[in-house]
mmCIF file of all heavy atoms in Angstrom:
data_model
loop_
_atom_site.group_PDB
_atom_site.id
_atom_site.type_symbol
_atom_site.label_atom_id
_atom_site.label_comp_id
_atom_site.label_asym_id
_atom_site.label_seq_id
_atom_site.Cartn_x
_atom_site.Cartn_y
_atom_site.Cartn_z
ATOM 1 N N ILE E 383 72.856 -104.402 106.627
ATOM 2 C CA ILE E 383 71.571 -103.824 107.036
ATOM 3 C C ILE E 383 70.740 -104.887 107.764
ATOM 4 O O ILE E 383 70.157 -104.641 108.817
ATOM 5 C CB ILE E 383 70.829 -103.263 105.800
ATOM 6 C CG1 ILE E 383 71.514 -101.980 105.332
ATOM 7 C CG2 ILE E 383 69.353 -103.031 106.094
ATOM 8 C CD1 ILE E 383 71.042 -101.452 104.005
ATOM 9 N N ARG E 384 70.718 -106.090 107.204
ATOM 10 C CA ARG E 384 69.968 -107.187 107.833
ATOM 11 C C ARG E 384 70.491 -107.481 109.238
ATOM 12 O O ARG E 384 69.712 -107.675 110.183
ATOM 13 C CB ARG E 384 70.079 -108.460 106.968
ATOM 14 C CG ARG E 384 69.113 -109.570 107.352
ATOM 15 C CD ARG E 384 69.471 -110.883 106.684
ATOM 16 N NE ARG E 384 70.731 -111.411 107.200
ATOM 17 C CZ ARG E 384 70.873 -111.986 108.391
ATOM 18 N NH1 ARG E 384 69.834 -112.143 109.189
ATOM 19 N NH2 ARG E 384 72.053 -112.399 108.789
ATOM 20 N N GLN E 385 71.826 -107.471 109.378
ATOM 21 C CA GLN E 385 72.416 -107.812 110.677
ATOM 22 C C GLN E 385 72.131 -106.754 111.750
ATOM 23 O O GLN E 385 72.303 -107.021 112.932
ATOM 24 C CB GLN E 385 73.932 -108.000 110.529
ATOM 25 C CG GLN E 385 74.282 -109.311 109.843
ATOM 26 C CD GLN E 385 75.778 -109.519 109.748
ATOM 27 O OE1 GLN E 385 76.553 -108.942 110.506
ATOM 28 N NE2 GLN E 385 76.194 -110.348 108.802
ATOM 29 N N LYS E 386 71.691 -105.564 111.340
ATOM 30 C CA LYS E 386 71.355 -104.564 112.354
ATOM 31 C C LYS E 386 70.127 -104.977 113.148
ATOM 32 O O LYS E 386 69.908 -104.519 114.264
ATOM 33 C CB LYS E 386 71.115 -103.204 111.703
ATOM 34 C CG LYS E 386 72.389 -102.597 111.157
ATOM 35 C CD LYS E 386 72.319 -101.100 111.056
ATOM 36 C CE LYS E 386 73.693 -100.563 110.685
ATOM 37 N NZ LYS E 386 73.772 -99.109 110.795
ATOM 38 N N VAL E 387 69.289 -105.824 112.542
ATOM 39 C CA VAL E 387 68.111 -106.313 113.263
ATOM 40 C C VAL E 387 68.336 -107.726 113.772
ATOM 41 O O VAL E 387 67.902 -108.102 114.847
ATOM 42 C CB VAL E 387 66.859 -106.232 112.348
ATOM 43 C CG1 VAL E 387 65.715 -107.061 112.909
ATOM 44 C CG2 VAL E 387 66.431 -104.770 112.196
ATOM 45 N N SER E 388 69.027 -108.510 112.984
ATOM 46 C CA SER E 388 69.260 -109.908 113.346
ATOM 47 C C SER E 388 70.760 -110.160 113.280
ATOM 48 O O SER E 388 71.296 -110.497 112.233
ATOM 49 C CB SER E 388 68.507 -110.797 112.353
ATOM 50 O OG SER E 388 68.813 -112.135 112.576
ATOM 51 N N PRO E 389 71.445 -109.946 114.408
ATOM 52 C CA PRO E 389 72.900 -109.863 114.378
ATOM 53 C C PRO E 389 73.634 -111.135 113.960
ATOM 54 O O PRO E 389 74.785 -111.058 113.575
ATOM 55 C CB PRO E 389 73.271 -109.494 115.822
ATOM 56 C CG PRO E 389 72.010 -109.000 116.436
ATOM 57 C CD PRO E 389 70.911 -109.709 115.744
ATOM 58 N N SER E 390 72.976 -112.274 114.010
ATOM 59 C CA SER E 390 73.713 -113.477 113.645
ATOM 60 C C SER E 390 74.001 -113.445 112.147
ATOM 61 O O SER E 390 73.120 -113.149 111.358
ATOM 62 C CB SER E 390 72.897 -114.715 113.986
ATOM 63 O OG SER E 390 71.668 -114.651 113.301
ATOM 64 N N PRO E 391 75.244 -113.722 111.769
ATOM 65 C CA PRO E 391 75.578 -113.668 110.351
ATOM 66 C C PRO E 391 74.832 -114.739 109.568
ATOM 67 O O PRO E 391 74.485 -115.794 110.101
ATOM 68 C CB PRO E 391 77.083 -113.933 110.327
ATOM 69 C CG PRO E 391 77.511 -114.221 111.704
ATOM 70 C CD PRO E 391 76.349 -114.107 112.616
ATOM 71 N N ALA E 392 74.566 -114.418 108.313
ATOM 72 C CA ALA E 392 73.906 -115.390 107.453
ATOM 73 C C ALA E 392 74.798 -116.601 107.276
ATOM 74 O O ALA E 392 76.022 -116.498 107.266
ATOM 75 C CB ALA E 392 73.628 -114.754 106.100
ATOM 76 N N THR E 393 74.173 -117.740 107.137
ATOM 77 C CA THR E 393 74.975 -118.935 106.891
ATOM 78 C C THR E 393 74.416 -119.666 105.692
ATOM 79 O O THR E 393 73.232 -119.639 105.440
ATOM 80 C CB THR E 393 74.912 -119.909 108.086
ATOM 81 O OG1 THR E 393 73.536 -120.127 108.389
ATOM 82 C CG2 THR E 393 75.636 -119.379 109.292
ATOM 83 N N ASP E 394 75.280 -120.261 104.954
ATOM 84 C CA ASP E 394 74.799 -121.166 103.914
ATOM 85 C C ASP E 394 75.212 -122.588 104.289
ATOM 86 O O ASP E 394 75.295 -123.464 103.473
ATOM 87 C CB ASP E 394 75.357 -120.772 102.550
ATOM 88 C CG ASP E 394 76.878 -120.853 102.516
ATOM 89 O OD1 ASP E 394 77.475 -121.001 103.599
ATOM 90 O OD2 ASP E 394 77.440 -120.781 101.428
ATOM 91 N N GLY E 395 75.502 -122.767 105.557
ATOM 92 C CA GLY E 395 75.865 -124.081 106.050
ATOM 93 C C GLY E 395 77.326 -124.424 105.817
ATOM 94 O O GLY E 395 77.792 -125.490 106.182
#
Side-chain angles (χ1 to χ4, degrees):
I383 287 170
R384 192 193 68 75
Q385 286 182 22
K386 290 204 172 190
V387 165
S388 174
S390 58
T393 52
D394 62 349

